[in-house]
Amino acid sequence: MPYITGERKQGLLLPSSIEDYINPSDPVRAYDAFVDQVDITELGIQTEPNRVGAPEFDPRAMLKLLVYGYSYGVRSSRKLERATHHNLSFIWLTGGLQPDHKTIARFRRDNQAALSNILKACAHVCLKLGLVEGNTLFVDGTKVHANASMKNTWTEKRCLESLKDIDSRIARILSECEQADASEQGNPSLVKMRECLGKQGKLKEKIQGVLKDLQAGQKNATNTTDPESVRLRSNGRLGVGYNCQSVVDDKHGLIVHSDVVQASCDSNQFSLQIEKAQQALGKPCATACADAGYASTEDLKKSLDEGMDVIVPSARQVKDPSSRVKKEHFAYDAKDDCYRCPQGHLLRYIGDHKQTKSRIYAVGDPEQCRQCPLFRRCTNSDQGRRVERLFLEDVRERIEQRYLQADAQAVYRRRKLRVEHPFGHLKQNLGIRSFLLRGLAGVKAEAALAATAFNLVRITTILGPEAFVQRLAA
Ligand code: SF4
């Protein structure tokens, strides 16, 4: 016989209980032990063992199902339901419970706030087991698609154009009706035309409602499927989604805090996310590091003022070197409050720029620039070169100098390994590129579940499932 073949009718002596199917070193035991030691009422899950009426599924079993499912990229309620019927690990984890997809979806929807706290519980466990130190933290963000389509995103301009389009379509349908009436032909098509008119009318009403909301509110665009999502540019493409922030500990690259924000960029998120991570860990961190996307001097100053070692390059430090004459080629004279350009000409203070919170300096005679051999490389303006100096320029220079030091460079090199690993695992290995839930509360719950799932995968790799279970029980 050249092949080994299977035999479906072979009689088997299978173990008599589900417990015997799962090996003591199976990773599912780590998930089970983790959820068992979480205080679910502290998370915010309502438990009423003595309630009257039809019994519900054990909330702890439902939580285990979600955390384990997210760890293996099984997120949809239908796939989770199927797993409780076909997958031995899931069957063991839930003790044979088989909730249907509606029950699973309802549990996730009704406990969004509680699920957002699961990562905090995980961070505490990591701290207790010495897997997290909380001394050096890295912040990073990634854009995740919302469960909504870009075609349902409306701006004021698009609303006005669509309304104009609908009006012209209605006018065309009405004129076709008149023509049909006149010729007394095509009665069936009249019914169709009325239907078309009704559809156009409903669409017009919907767009008018959206336009009214846009004109009354602060937003310049809204999505009708997920109104809390925002327009984001990711990899050069415009889409609709959320900005996911995560704070990772240096020791083993475990996530200690995750958040979802409606900001289109990471600027101004640094101090906020580090503060929340410190609250989650219950201890202050010594060093915080992020990429140039977080380089908002005003925001970084908040962390500096708390005595933190802030390692964040400025945007100009990471830009590609080019032949252009940059601001750092100008020497600042603090005594006379002026700049001197590479050609030795003075740039004097001419006023403030309120939006960028900076002071502006300009050459006295623009002709000097127009005649300069560096003109075009330095400026294209016939008014001559201008230089902006932040009100907090000294703070920016301090942060820039810190970034250039050898020990800061070593921390910054680790940043990429630590903080980008979770995003890579979640997106590439588990395929979490878009959220399933809608609304900020829902996506925050999903982000916390995904981060907890990443941590548990990482812990089972670092310690091994058996050792993790033993240390939790100790
Ligand atoms: S272009 Fe103007 S500011 Fe720039 S180096 Fe020449 S003289 Fe100086």
Side-chain angles (χ1 to χ4, degrees):
M1 280 287 274
Y3 300 115
I4 300 170
T5 53
E7 174 52 76
R8 286 180 181 143
K9 291 183 180 167
Q10 173 70 51
L12 297 172
L13 286 171
L14 293 170
S16 56
S17 78
I18 308 170
E19 177 64 26
D20 296 336
Y21 282 97
I22 300 296
N23 195 294
S25 61
D26 194 299
V28 71
R29 290 186 182 271
Y31 294 82
D32 182 64
F34 166 70
V35 178
D36 274 343
Q37 60 76 52
V38 169
D39 184 343
I40 60 168
T41 49
E42 204 176 283
L43 282 188
I45 295 175
Q46 300 297 322
T47 51
E48 292 177 67
N50 299 320
R51 67 188 284 277
V52 286
E56 286 183 355
F57 286 101
D58 177 8
R60 203 176 281 279
M62 299 296 282
L63 184 59
K64 286 177 186 178
L65 179 62
L66 284 177
V67 174
Y68 190 62
Y70 271 74
S71 301
Y72 287 87
V74 185
R75 294 188 294 148
S76 90
S77 49
R78 280 185 166 77
K79 283 184 182 167
L80 285 166
E81 179 192 343
R82 189 175 160 77
T84 61
H85 289 257
H86 297 269
N87 188 313
L88 261 179
S89 299
F90 280 89
I91 294 169
W92 177 86
L93 190 67
T94 57
L97 295 178
Q98 293 176 336
D100 68 7
H101 65 273
K102 286 183 190 163
T103 309
I104 297 167
R106 192 169 55 244
F107 176 81
R108 185 163 47 186
R109 191 182 57 235
D110 293 348
N111 292 291
Q112 287 175 352
L115 293 174
S116 305
N117 293 328
I118 186 80
L119 180 62
K120 199 172 170 185
C122 184
H124 279 166
V125 167
C126 294
L127 202 60
K128 198 173 112 191
L129 299 184
L131 296 167
V132 158
E133 281 177 349
N135 294 333
T136 302
L137 299 177
F138 301 100
V139 195
D140 203 5
T142 189
K143 316 273 169 57
V144 178
H145 294 293
N147 186 355
S149 163
M150 188 63 191
K151 77 174 194 302
N152 291 328
T153 296
W154 294 87
T155 58
E156 203 174 321
K157 188 178 165 216
R158 190 181 163 206
C159 286
L160 292 170
E161 280 172 3
S162 294
L163 286 173
K164 207 170 140 193
D165 205 31
I166 290 168
D167 283 341
S168 71
R169 259 182 273 158
I170 289 174
R172 200 187 64 233
I173 293 168
L174 287 173
S175 99
E176 281 173 21
C177 280
E178 275 171 23
Q179 281 171 19
D181 281 346
S183 62
E184 293 182 350
Q185 281 176 1
N187 283 342
S189 69
L190 265 177
V191 174
K192 208 174 154 192
M193 281 175 188
R194 264 189 226 114
E195 269 176 25
C196 287
L197 267 177
K199 273 186 198 165
Q200 296 300 319
K202 274 185 194 159
L203 186 60
K204 189 174 173 180
E205 244 173 63
K206 182 184 157 188
I207 297 171
Q208 279 171 335
V210 172
L211 182 63
K212 208 171 146 195
D213 290 348
L214 279 172
Q215 286 169 342
Q218 306 285 319
K219 290 165 82 176
N220 54 14
T222 188
N223 187 285
T224 47
T225 312
D226 184 352
E228 292 185 27
S229 62
V230 288
R231 281 193 305 170
L232 296 168
R233 194 166 285 282
S234 174
N235 297 329
R237 292 177 63 189
L238 195 63
V240 55
Y242 291 91
N243 182 345
C244 288
Q245 296 289 315
S246 90
V247 182
V248 174
D249 182 66
D250 190 21
K251 190 173 182 186
H252 287 297
L254 292 162
I255 304 172
V256 294
H257 167 70
S258 79
D259 198 4
V260 181
V261 294
Q262 293 166 296
S264 55
C265 66
D266 296 332
S267 183
N268 293 322
Q269 290 298 321
F270 187 85
S271 62
L272 177 72
Q273 300 307 331
I274 290 289
E275 179 58 33
K276 285 185 179 177
Q278 291 184 134
Q279 281 171 11
L281 291 173
K283 62 175 285 195
C285 77
T287 305
C289 177
D291 64 24
Y294 291 84
S296 156
T297 310
E298 217 174 319
D299 184 47
L300 298 181
K301 187 175 178 296
K302 292 178 195 164
S303 300
L304 277 177
D305 289 346
E306 285 179 20
M308 217 176 281
D309 180 18
V310 173
I311 301 171
V312 179
S314 68
R316 63 189 180 193
Q317 282 181 304
V318 294
K319 271 186 192 160
D320 286 341
S322 70
S323 59
R324 291 197 68 79
V325 179
K326 296 177 200 142
K327 186 184 157 188
E328 49 266 40
H329 297 131
F330 289 66
Y332 179 64
D333 182 342
K335 196 167 141 268
D336 292 338
D337 187 26
C338 62
Y339 276 95
R340 196 169 285 279
C341 79
Q343 291 291 311
H345 299 293
L346 278 181
L347 284 85
R348 296 205 180 276
Y349 169 71
I350 57 162
D352 291 346
H353 194 302
K354 287 202 175 79
Q355 258 181 333
T356 56
K357 294 184 181 166
S358 52
R359 293 161 66 81
I360 301 169
Y361 298 79
V363 286
D365 179 9
E367 190 57 28
Q368 288 172 340
C369 288
R370 291 196 289 267
Q371 299 300 326
C372 173
L374 297 178
F375 188 61
R376 300 294 172 209
R377 276 178 58 201
C378 185
T379 179
N380 285 323
S381 168
D382 286 341
Q383 301 305 310
R385 175 72 191 244
R386 290 183 175 200
V387 166
E388 282 189 23
R389 181 177 175 81
L390 286 180
F391 296 158
L392 296 173
E393 189 72 23
D394 51 338
V395 177
R396 174 149 81 169
E397 283 169 3
R398 199 173 123 203
I399 295 169
E400 283 180 342
Q401 278 159 18
R402 174 68 188 119
Y403 167 72
L404 293 174
Q405 287 167 3
D407 59 330
Q409 287 288 305
V411 172
Y412 193 75
R413 273 196 296 276
R414 286 206 304 280
R415 182 202 72 86
K416 207 165 187 160
L417 297 175
R418 295 284 184 257
V419 82
E420 291 186 7
H421 177 201
F423 290 142
H425 175 73
L426 295 173
K427 285 189 169 182
Q428 204 59 38
N429 299 345
L430 304 187
I432 305 179
R433 292 177 183 277
S434 63
F435 288 114
L436 292 178
L437 301 183
R438 292 176 183 145
L440 198 57
V443 296
K444 280 188 182 200
E446 272 205 89
L449 274 171
T452 306
F454 169 81
N455 279 356
L456 291 171
V457 169
R458 192 92 189 95
I459 294 168
T460 50
T461 308
I462 297 164
L463 296 179
E466 271 180 293
F468 178 52
V469 174
Q470 281 165 13
R471 286 178 68 174
L472 276 179

